[in-house]
Amino acid sequence: MLKQILHKFFSALMAVLVLFSTVSFTVEKHFCGDVLIDSAVFTEAQKCKMEAFEIEQSKITKKHCCKDELEVVKGQDKLKRSQFEDIAFEQQVFVVSYIFSYNSLEELPNLIIPHKQYSPPNLIYDIQVLDEVFLI
């Protein structure tokens, strides 16, 4: 029972690990001067009020104080899918023998203890003292 639960738990954990190691996402940041105004992970970062004002001034001065930065976090994209034939012969023999020996093990049956419910008789005399027999 516990073995099956642990097996399912670790299988789900490995699936989530593979999923998160392969996910890519971008982080968009909007700066106005040197001040971070907004950052967003999956959506577009909100622009500041100066952005509209800069568009009007850009026709005159051509200077921008606002800037956008994009950080791309790439996940792993080279997953190797190997087959049983790709590993060395000695490793194949080890894997097959391990699986065979693991599957051939049988669970031990519950031991039946015939005298489990037996209660010993009440001792009236201490026999060792009466016979004067002591273990040294």
Side-chain angles (χ1 to χ4, degrees):
M1 176 78 175
L2 180 64
K3 179 180 162 184
Q4 292 174 346
I5 293 172
L6 285 175
H7 186 269
K8 289 180 182 181
F9 172 74
F10 284 116
S11 297
L13 183 69
M14 292 299 289
V16 169
L17 181 69
V18 168
L19 175 70
F20 283 124
S21 69
T22 58
V23 170
S24 300
F25 59 93
T26 60
V27 178
E28 185 175 348
K29 297 178 184 177
H30 180 75
F31 288 94
C32 192
D34 291 334
V35 179
L36 176 65
I37 300 299
D38 189 29
S39 64
V41 177
F42 293 110
T43 60
E44 187 175 330
Q46 293 181 352
K47 310 293 184 202
C48 61
K49 306 283 185 193
M50 294 295 292
E51 188 75 25
F53 183 69
E54 277 186 19
I55 294 173
E56 294 175 13
Q57 282 191 345
S58 66
K59 297 175 185 174
I60 302 169
T61 60
K62 303 282 184 187
K63 291 185 179 178
H64 295 287
C65 69
C66 293
K67 63 180 177 179
D68 292 325
E69 287 185 8
L70 287 175
E71 288 184 34
V72 178
V73 178
K74 288 193 173 186
Q76 181 180 4
D77 59 349
K78 296 180 182 177
L79 292 178
K80 182 179 178 186
R81 298 174 73 188
S82 60
Q83 296 180 354
F84 187 71
E85 291 83 18
D86 294 342
I87 60 177
F89 180 72
E90 292 83 15
Q91 292 173 342
Q92 288 179 5
V93 169
F94 174 76
V95 169
V96 169
S97 62
Y98 180 78
I99 291 172
F100 179 74
S101 65
Y102 184 77
N103 287 337
S104 66
L105 291 177
E106 297 177 7
E107 288 189 25
L108 295 175
N110 292 336
L111 295 176
I112 298 172
I113 303 172
H115 56 279
K116 185 175 183 179
Q117 301 297 327
Y118 174 74
S119 61
N122 293 332
L123 295 178
I124 300 171
Y125 302 109
D126 192 0
I127 304 288
Q128 290 179 341
V129 174
L130 288 177
D131 295 338
E132 296 180 2
V133 178
F134 303 103
L135 294 176
I136 296 178

